Amino acid sequence: MIIALCGFMGAGKSTVGKYLASLLCCEQIDLDAYICKREGKSVPEIFDAVGETGFRAAEGECLREIVERYSSASSPDAVSCVLSLGGGAPLNPMCFDLICKGTMCFYLKVPVELLQTRLIKNHAQRPLLAGKSLQELKAYVEEKVAQREDIYRKCSKRVIDTAGKSIEQIAFEIANF
Ligand code: S3P
């Protein structure tokens, strides 16, 4: 079984994923890092070369590869890997389907104000946020979170309300589900 983590940029999918994988003694895969390794480029370089559409196509192919490899890698009840998705992965209908059918997904829900604060500090490697003024970035995050919320909920078995919780608490909550 693959445990997947979804949520907006800055939700802590990679950080929680690493901790959760160490708790469960299994592999952790970061979908963005997997795409970058396969393409031999960083996320901004992929966006520069093939645009968001090209990035989404590579994201879909990589997700399919991971789900095929890891869903058959262990008995149905054992966790074979923790997969930290990119924030936009569930938007692609093919990815949405792979997430629903091939993983047990958890939505890491973070208050929008906290996402804005985190992303203001840390947006250099995120092409969808690059070049935006502070106000534009805040408005973008608010709008996109509202648009994506329903999709994140629909592909997840459970919503993890992360407000006020440590990485360890969030990981334990998922591990004990
Ligand atoms: C994206 C999120 C990013 C990355 C790409 C697009 C998005 O991943 O896949 O920049 O559309 O939300 P993180 O959520 O890991 O930052």
Side-chain angles (χ1 to χ4, degrees):
M1 177 185 37
I2 299 170
I3 291 186
L5 304 177
C6 78
F8 203 71
M9 293 177 263
K13 303 178 292 292
S14 302
T15 316
V16 171
K18 283 187 189 119
Y19 191 82
L20 181 59
S22 74
L23 269 186
L24 299 173
C25 299
C26 68
E27 207 173 319
Q28 190 257 351
I29 299 178
D30 193 276
L31 184 56
D32 280 349
Y34 190 98
I35 301 165
C36 292
K37 193 169 171 200
R38 200 182 82 145
E39 302 294 314
K41 295 188 179 85
S42 68
V43 173
E45 283 168 349
I46 300 173
F47 268 72
D48 275 352
V50 290
E52 184 176 352
T53 312
F55 176 81
R56 298 293 177 205
E59 191 173 43
E61 285 164 23
C62 289
L63 182 58
R64 183 185 293 285
E65 230 170 77
I66 294 166
V67 169
E68 277 170 7
R69 185 175 320 151
Y70 285 87
S71 33
S72 56
S74 59
S75 66
D77 291 340
V79 179
S80 52
C81 90
V82 175
L83 172 62
S84 306
L85 297 164
L91 306 181
N92 169 342
M94 186 195 86
C95 291
F96 181 89
D97 212 46
L98 283 167
I99 296 165
C100 292
K101 293 183 182 149
T103 78
M104 178 182 274
C105 187
F106 293 83
Y107 167 29
L108 302 189
K109 184 171 167 54
V110 180
V112 72
E113 299 75 19
L114 184 53
L115 288 174
Q116 287 166 328
T117 310
R118 286 184 190 166
L119 291 168
I120 285 164
K121 287 191 206 145
N122 184 8
H123 64 272
Q125 284 303 304
R126 293 181 164 110
L128 295 176
L129 306 178
K132 290 192 170 24
S133 70
L134 197 62
Q135 279 321 107
E136 285 167 345
L137 191 141
K138 282 183 156 184
Y140 180 87
V141 172
E142 196 172 335
E143 186 195 328
K144 291 292 170 190
V145 168
Q147 277 174 12
R148 292 178 177 190
E149 171 87 20
D150 193 44
I151 295 175
Y152 291 150
R153 283 179 181 275
K154 283 191 175 137
C155 68
S156 300
K157 300 280 181 293
R158 180 158 180 173
V159 178
I160 307 289
D161 198 342
T162 66
K165 292 178 190 159
S166 66
I167 304 294
E168 291 81 358
Q169 283 172 317
I170 299 165
F172 274 111
E173 199 173 322
I174 297 170
N176 290 327
F177 179 69

